[in-house]
Amino acid sequence: MTTPTLLVAGTASHVGKSTVAAGLCRLFDDRGLSVAPFKAQNMSNNARAVATADGDGFGEIGVSQYVQARAARVAPTTDHNPVLLKPHGDGASQLVVHGRAAGLNTASDYYATHWEDARKAAVESHRRLASEADVVVAEGAGSIAEINLHDRDLANIETARFSDADVLLAADIERGGVFASLLGTLELLPEDVRDRVVGAVITKFRGDPSLLEPGVDAIEERTGVPVLGVLPYDDPGLPEEDSLALPAAGERATVGDDDGVAAEHAVTIGVPRLPRISNATDFGPLSETPGVRVAYLPLDATLDGVDGVVLPGSKNTVDDLLALRDAGFDDELAGFDGPVVGICGGYQLLGERIENADIEGSGDDETVAGLGLLPIVTRFSRDKRVEPVSVEFDGAGPLAGATGTVDGYEIHMGDSRIVGGATPVSGDGAALGSVAGTYIHDLFANDAPRNAFVDAIYESAGRDRPATTTGTAGADADADEPGAGDPYDRAAALVADNLDVAALCDSLGLEE
């Protein structure tokens, strides 16, 4: 019997596909099924380091498939997301196939030169997953009804075809026009894919679902596609897939200010909104810490009212460094006397200079001066380090006192070396005074460095930190730990309580 595949497709981006897919992965696993998450092609700079499918090292996949693998309680591998496009700037993206970088390409170059190989990689990965699972839960990308891309839509149209998938169509009511979105999407689908749609789900609804009944009845009568559920607006706490969830460059937004801690007892961590920011999920555990607000700042913003700063990762460190300097943020940071931490590309920014800068940046300069806050020199090479890490952490500077095992991952080009009086920090990092940097992503998902940094900020700000628990909620906590705060269980409950899962199981030939 062929392993069934359910493709969770959408009428648009950010309609809740990732949450529905993660919820189904956990729900099916809870019912004793072996589940394989899958996304043929993803575009995101939020990645994770996982084992390659061939067992020969580590590679990158998009964060949503990493999350869905943990929801399914399976070890994430590059088969779960065989093709990843990481936007680099200037219309180009780094192509990652089976976890390994395969060069920079514009969209036209990708489709002309690499798409057939990418499709082959996706088919191979799906075949391997399906051979070992009871069900494959695939996630589409963006809208499944982009008619200009139907002949090369790997994550949606091609996945539906080569996997012989049933399609669940997700539509977001929050932005309005949900019934028009459903109708238009179904009308624009190729006939063979339209026939695969077994149901629709309306997401992000606020209010009384009975108010939707006339619209649901009309859309079902007009299309013949049943609406299998209406999901209320809820955030289970899963990481965002990409930087589209962040404020646009030039805008400011603050998260974490809904924790009930009074403003006079809170601290604010500023994160400059780099144009090419990557792995922004690093800051979720900080914003989830009571008393901590994370403010994403335009590059021309002042640091007035900011108590600590984290420089994030970047897909193009050199160009983001130049953007910081052009906006005057380098001078702003030089005059800042609170704790500062740089993660990965943010760590590279803090150094004295970057050598071989022309490997990554859009300019021709071989050496570019850094922000000069840490005595390190970074030298780029074309080799890329991608691996999960588990280290006995030894913090210093604003991470002083952080010890014990720290788990995370590294994804970066280039290496940094200390050239002055800095103290080494785990993750090939360094610290001097109130400034530190490391290559370890997910650093703040670990209690010790997160609490050390928050404590340092409170001490610098002259405030008493409110009493809190030290554990970390969110999707980087133990995937097997049950409880109301577990984001995978919350996603599963959201789906189980509001979606006709029995109808999906019947369509897929699964015993409920």
Coordinates of all heavy atoms in Angstrom, one line a residue, residues 49 58 385-393 405-412 426-428 438-443 446:
A49 N 20.4 23.4 11.7 CA 21.4 22.4 11.3 C 21.0 21.0 11.7 O 20.7 20.8 12.9 CB 22.8 22.7 11.9
F58 N 26.2 17.2 8.3 CA 25.1 18.0 8.6 C 24.7 19.0 7.5 O 25.6 19.4 6.7 CB 25.3 18.8 9.9 CG 25.6 17.8 11.1 CD1 27.0 17.6 11.5 CD2 24.6 17.2 11.8 CE1 27.3 16.8 12.5 CE2 24.9 16.4 12.9 CZ 26.2 16.2 13.2
R385 N 30.3 26.3 7.6 CA 30.1 25.4 8.7 C 28.7 25.2 9.1 O 28.0 26.2 9.3 CB 30.9 25.9 9.9 CG 30.9 25.0 11.1 CD 31.8 25.4 12.2 NE 31.7 24.5 13.3 CZ 32.5 24.6 14.4 NH1 33.3 25.6 14.6 NH2 32.4 23.7 15.4
V386 N 28.2 24.0 9.1 CA 26.8 23.7 9.4 C 26.8 22.5 10.3 O 27.1 21.4 9.9 CB 25.9 23.4 8.1 CG1 24.5 23.1 8.5 CG2 26.0 24.6 7.2
E387 N 26.4 22.7 11.6 CA 26.4 21.6 12.5 C 25.7 22.0 13.8 O 25.8 23.1 14.2 CB 27.8 21.1 12.8 CG 28.7 22.0 13.5 CD 30.0 21.4 13.9 OE1 30.2 20.2 13.7 OE2 30.9 22.1 14.3
P388 N 25.0 21.0 14.4 CA 24.5 21.2 15.7 C 25.6 21.1 16.7 O 26.6 20.5 16.4 CB 23.5 20.1 15.9 CG 23.9 19.0 15.0 CD 24.6 19.7 13.8
V389 N 25.5 21.9 17.8 CA 26.6 21.9 18.8 C 26.1 21.6 20.2 O 24.9 22.0 20.5 CB 27.4 23.2 18.8 CG1 28.1 23.3 17.4 CG2 26.6 24.4 19.0
S390 N 26.9 21.0 21.0 CA 26.6 20.9 22.4 C 27.9 21.1 23.2 O 28.8 20.3 23.0 CB 26.0 19.5 22.7 OG 25.6 19.4 24.1
V391 N 28.0 22.2 23.9 CA 29.3 22.5 24.5 C 29.1 22.8 26.0 O 28.0 23.1 26.5 CB 29.8 23.8 23.9 CG1 30.1 23.6 22.4 CG2 28.9 25.0 24.1
E392 N 30.2 22.6 26.7 CA 30.2 23.0 28.1 C 30.5 24.5 28.1 O 31.7 24.9 27.9 CB 31.3 22.2 28.9 CG 30.8 20.8 29.1 CD 29.5 20.7 29.9 OE1 29.3 21.3 30.9 OE2 28.6 20.0 29.4
F393 N 29.5 25.3 28.3 CA 29.6 26.8 28.1 C 30.5 27.4 29.2 O 30.4 27.1 30.3 CB 28.2 27.4 28.0 CG 28.2 28.7 27.4 CD1 28.3 28.9 26.0 CD2 28.2 29.9 28.2 CE1 28.2 30.1 25.4 CE2 28.1 31.1 27.6 CZ 28.2 31.3 26.2
T405 N 26.0 22.8 30.2 CA 25.8 22.3 28.8 C 24.9 23.3 28.1 O 23.8 23.6 28.6 CB 25.3 20.9 28.8 OG1 26.2 20.0 29.5 CG2 25.1 20.5 27.3
V406 N 25.3 23.7 26.9 CA 24.5 24.6 26.1 C 24.4 23.9 24.7 O 25.4 23.5 24.1 CB 25.2 26.0 25.9 CG1 24.6 26.7 24.7 CG2 25.0 26.8 27.2
D407 N 23.2 23.8 24.3 CA 22.9 23.2 23.0 C 22.4 24.2 22.0 O 21.7 25.1 22.3 CB 21.7 22.1 23.1 CG 22.1 21.0 24.0 OD1 23.3 20.5 23.9 OD2 21.3 20.5 24.9
G408 N 22.9 24.1 20.8 CA 22.5 25.0 19.7 C 23.0 24.5 18.4 O 23.1 23.3 18.1
Y409 N 23.3 25.4 17.5 CA 23.8 25.1 16.2 C 24.5 26.2 15.6 O 24.4 27.4 16.0 CB 22.6 24.7 15.2 CG 21.6 25.8 15.0 CD1 21.7 26.5 13.8 CD2 20.6 26.1 15.9 CE1 20.8 27.6 13.6 CE2 19.7 27.1 15.7 CZ 19.8 27.8 14.5 OH 18.9 28.8 14.3
E410 N 25.4 25.9 14.6 CA 26.2 26.9 13.9 C 25.9 26.8 12.4 O 25.9 25.7 11.9 CB 27.7 26.7 14.2 CG 28.1 27.0 15.6 CD 29.6 27.0 15.9 OE1 30.3 27.1 14.9 OE2 30.0 26.8 17.0
I411 N 25.7 27.9 11.8 CA 25.6 28.0 10.3 C 26.3 29.3 9.9 O 25.8 30.4 10.1 CB 24.1 28.0 9.8 CG1 23.3 26.8 10.3 CG2 24.1 28.2 8.3 CD1 21.9 26.8 9.9
H412 N 27.5 29.2 9.4 CA 28.2 30.4 9.0 C 29.4 30.1 8.1 O 29.9 29.0 8.0 CB 28.8 31.1 10.3 CG 29.7 30.3 11.1 ND1 31.1 30.4 10.9 CD2 29.5 29.4 12.1 CE1 31.7 29.6 11.8 NE2 30.8 29.0 12.5
S426 N 32.7 30.3 24.7 CA 32.3 29.2 23.9 C 31.7 29.5 22.6 O 31.0 30.6 22.5 CB 31.4 28.3 24.7 OG 32.0 27.9 25.9
G427 N 31.8 28.6 21.6 CA 31.3 28.9 20.3 C 32.2 29.8 19.5 O 31.8 30.6 18.6
D428 N 33.6 29.6 19.7 CA 34.6 30.4 19.0 C 34.3 31.9 19.2 O 34.6 32.7 18.4 CB 34.6 30.1 17.5 CG 35.1 28.7 17.3 OD1 35.9 28.2 18.0 OD2 34.6 28.1 16.3
T438 N 29.3 35.2 19.9 CA 29.5 33.8 19.8 C 28.9 33.4 18.4 O 28.0 34.1 17.9 CB 28.9 33.0 20.9 OG1 29.0 31.6 20.7 CG2 27.4 33.4 21.1
Y439 N 29.3 32.2 17.9 CA 28.6 31.7 16.7 C 27.4 30.7 17.0 O 26.8 30.2 16.1 CB 29.7 30.9 15.9 CG 30.5 31.7 15.1 CD1 31.9 31.9 15.3 CD2 30.0 32.4 13.9 CE1 32.7 32.7 14.5 CE2 30.8 33.1 13.1 CZ 32.2 33.3 13.4 OH 32.9 34.1 12.6
I440 N 27.1 30.6 18.3 CA 26.1 29.6 18.7 C 24.7 30.2 18.5 O 24.3 31.1 19.3 CB 26.3 29.1 20.1 CG1 27.6 28.4 20.2 CG2 25.1 28.1 20.5 CD1 27.9 27.9 21.7
H441 N 23.9 29.7 17.5 CA 22.5 30.1 17.4 C 21.7 29.3 18.5 O 22.2 28.2 19.0 CB 21.9 29.7 16.1 CG 22.4 30.6 15.0 ND1 22.0 31.9 14.9 CD2 23.2 30.4 13.9 CE1 22.5 32.5 13.8 NE2 23.3 31.6 13.2
D442 N 20.6 29.8 18.9 CA 19.7 29.2 19.9 C 20.4 29.3 21.3 O 20.0 28.6 22.2 CB 19.4 27.7 19.7 CG 18.0 27.5 19.1 OD1 17.3 28.5 18.9 OD2 17.7 26.3 18.9
L443 N 21.3 30.2 21.4 CA 22.0 30.4 22.7 C 21.0 30.7 23.8 O 21.1 30.2 24.9 CB 23.0 31.6 22.5 CG 23.8 32.0 23.8 CD1 24.8 31.0 24.1 CD2 24.4 33.4 23.6
N446 N 18.8 28.4 26.0 CA 19.4 27.7 27.1 C 19.3 28.6 28.4 O 19.6 29.8 28.3 CB 20.9 27.4 26.8 CG 21.0 26.4 25.7 OD1 21.1 25.2 25.9 ND2 21.1 26.9 24.5

